[in-house]
Amino acid sequence: MLKVGINGYGTIGKRVADAVAAQPDMTVCGVAKASPDFGADGAVRRGYPLYSARDDRVNAFREAGYELAGTSDDLIAESEVVVDAAPGGIGAENLPRYEAAGVPAIVQGKESDDLVETSFNARANFEDAEGADAVRVVSCNTTGLSRLVAPLEENYGVEKVRATLVRRGGDPDQTGRGPINDILPDPIAVPSHHGPDVNTIFPELSIDTMGLKVPATLMHMHSLNIELGSDPSSEELRELLGGESRVFVVGDDFSIDGTGKLREFARDRGRPRGDLWENCVWGESITVKDSELYMFQAIHQESDVIPENVDAIRAMTGLADKEESMRITDEALGIGLPESRESSAVVSPV
Ligand SMILES: NC(=O)C1=CN([C@@H]2O[C@H](COP(=O)(O)OP(=O)(O)OC[C@H]3O[C@@H](n4cnc5c(N)ncnc54)[C@H](O)[C@@H]3O)[C@@H](O)[C@H]2O)C=CC1
Ligand SMILES: O=C(OP(=O)(O)O)[C@H](O)COP(=O)(O)O
């Protein structure tokens, strides 16, 4: 069992820890947090050894009654791979520490691509991370876009992507974020950082993105126009995307009209924290006219990068190749949602 340490146990870190714990070939050897808040309580309840992310916070944990396994230096020494899910910018500060300890490390979307050997999306470029010591899992929005571009590029070629990203203002627990009553072009400058970020995965792709922020916390929403290299039918496109394990084509018969119902659907399915690891594409929106694809997809920012972190661990350590890794990850987490009620498996009531 590969020993994985999680440095930074917030929105992303706690989900990565649970996903690693669910895999048959890896185990969580500890998690590091900066504050002794409810998240620390959750880690202890799940049985993860708890470390203080910062030396100057050790007393704060002790005073709050937590028994620490050590500081993040101890966690790094204990780990065969570290997933760094600290706030943006801190991963960059931590990378030299992982390198000095000789421990391969994964950082998250806010860190710069220049700091790592490769940016990563399992569907698109798993092989680039094989044997690497420092890898960056791209942000939630970039993950969602990369998962779409990969099959389109393979099957039809992509001439140009134009994406408008309606971004959630903050995660549900980020009480200080906004806007509260506004719609912000964010960033105002065009293109937004998302297009160049997708180019860290697809260097040759022609893509322009525009971003907005809205008073919502549940998910992001993408409005997409993609010029293809050939002219498939809308039905063919729908079938292609339906065949992707990390794309959920939302069928018409579910009557899901927005992100609120999507998250409720996930909770009804018994998904942990109501997570949706898949891109959620409205089947009815998939429209091809004169080689141009139009569609809407929602992205659950808190969870779509989680399976990607698990696959990055396998790529870096050689635990499995792409197909095998994605299959194991999907199976362990229960990824893959049927498009329609007819194809849903019959399950006993929870
Ligand atoms: N929340 C989101 O929607 C997404 C976030 N990301 C990326 O994931 C990374 C982490 O983001 P979140 O999980 O949202 O942040 P968060 O603020 O929810 O969690 C950060 C965690 O790091 C801990 N921490 C603080 N200082 C630390 C230090 N010096 N060393 C280690 N840990 C420290 C905090 O105690 C907290 O547990 C960022 O790069 C972000 O861009 C990527 C995709 C989506
Ligand atoms: O990386 C993200 O979004 P982004 O791709 O829109 O920058 C995550 O949703 C977190 O970003 P944020 O917390 O700065 O909004």
Side-chain angles (χ1 to χ4, degrees):
M1 292 286 253
L2 186 82
K3 291 195 286 179
V4 181
I6 319 289
N7 194 15
Y9 190 77
T11 303
I12 300 300
K14 66 173 121 173
R15 287 174 168 81
V16 171
D18 291 354
V20 166
Q23 306 302 312
D25 50 356
M26 50 186 88
T27 182
V28 177
C29 64
V31 304
K33 261 197 73 50
S35 322
D37 58 11
F38 75 94
D41 177 64
V44 170
R45 284 176 185 280
R46 282 170 151 78
Y48 303 142
L50 181 65
Y51 293 76
S52 175
R54 291 172 39 172
D55 297 354
D56 62 348
R57 295 283 173 85
V58 168
N59 278 340
F61 278 96
R62 293 212 172 114
E63 280 163 20
Y66 287 101
E67 209 172 291
L68 289 175
T71 63
S72 56
D73 282 331
D74 302 312
L75 174 61
I76 296 166
E78 191 62 35
S79 306
E80 291 174 276
V81 178
V82 171
V83 178
D84 185 301
I90 305 234
E93 288 171 19
N94 285 335
L95 273 170
R97 298 172 61 206
Y98 306 134
E99 195 186 356
V103 179
I106 296 166
V107 294
Q108 307 302 316
K110 272 280 148 57
E111 311 304 338
S112 165
D113 171 66
D114 302 337
L115 302 171
V116 294
E117 285 157 69
T118 184
S119 288
F120 181 86
N121 172 258
R123 177 66 179 80
N125 73 338
F126 184 98
E127 292 82 5
D128 291 348
E130 284 176 343
D133 288 326
V135 166
R136 164 181 173 264
V137 169
V138 290
S139 85
C140 45
N141 281 313
T142 309
T143 295
L145 291 169
S146 300
R147 283 180 183 163
L148 269 192
V149 169
L152 295 178
E153 186 81 62
E154 283 163 19
N155 286 274
Y156 313 113
V158 173
E159 300 291 326
K160 175 89 191 175
V161 177
R162 296 182 183 85
T164 301
L165 314 181
V166 180
R167 305 159 67 200
R168 61 87 179 100
D171 294 338
D173 70 338
Q174 291 178 313
T175 44
R177 299 268 298 242
I180 291 175
N181 180 22
D182 211 338
I183 301 171
L184 312 179
D186 187 339
I188 296 174
V190 178
S192 68
H193 58 280
H194 306 93
D197 203 26
V198 175
N199 285 135
T200 66
I201 303 289
F202 298 95
E204 306 301 327
L205 183 72
S206 174
I207 176 167
D208 281 323
T209 52
M210 296 174 77
L212 302 103
K213 274 196 178 168
V214 296
T217 63
L218 299 177
M219 299 179 84
H220 302 296
M221 183 77 78
H222 297 175
S223 167
L224 296 156
N225 307 91
I226 304 178
E227 280 179 35
L228 301 171
S230 57
D231 193 18
S233 66
S234 307
E235 293 69 33
E236 188 182 330
L237 237 306
R238 191 166 170 156
E239 209 170 304
L240 175 77
L241 296 180
E244 292 287 316
S245 71
R246 294 184 188 172
V247 175
F248 168 34
V249 176
V250 183
D252 313 344
D253 61 350
F254 281 134
S255 301
I256 291 176
D257 61 3
T259 60
K261 286 205 180 77
L262 269 175
R263 295 294 306 281
E264 183 69 3
F265 173 79
R267 284 189 288 266
D268 285 353
R269 283 286 166 123
R271 286 286 181 94
R273 303 184 174 94
D275 283 350
L276 281 160
W277 300 290
E278 304 88 347
N279 292 21
C280 301
V281 178
W282 272 272
E284 201 184 341
S285 75
I286 299 173
T287 305
V288 185
K289 274 188 189 167
D290 301 328
S291 303
E292 186 159 356
L293 165 64
Y294 300 80
M295 50 174 266
F296 290 118
Q297 70 171 357
I299 298 295
H300 184 212
Q301 76 282 354
E302 297 169 288
S303 70
D304 75 327
V305 299
I306 305 308
E308 310 302 323
N309 274 273
V310 173
D311 291 327
I313 293 170
R314 289 204 188 90
M316 296 167 78
T317 56
L319 276 181
D321 65 14
K322 173 181 169 178
E323 276 70 32
E324 180 77 346
S325 178
M326 290 183 73
R327 188 189 59 72
I328 299 171
T329 306
D330 290 355
E331 222 171 85
L333 294 181
I335 290 179
L337 290 163
E339 180 172 341
S340 65
R341 194 171 53 76
E342 287 71 32
S343 56
S344 302
V346 176
V347 290
S348 322
V350 186

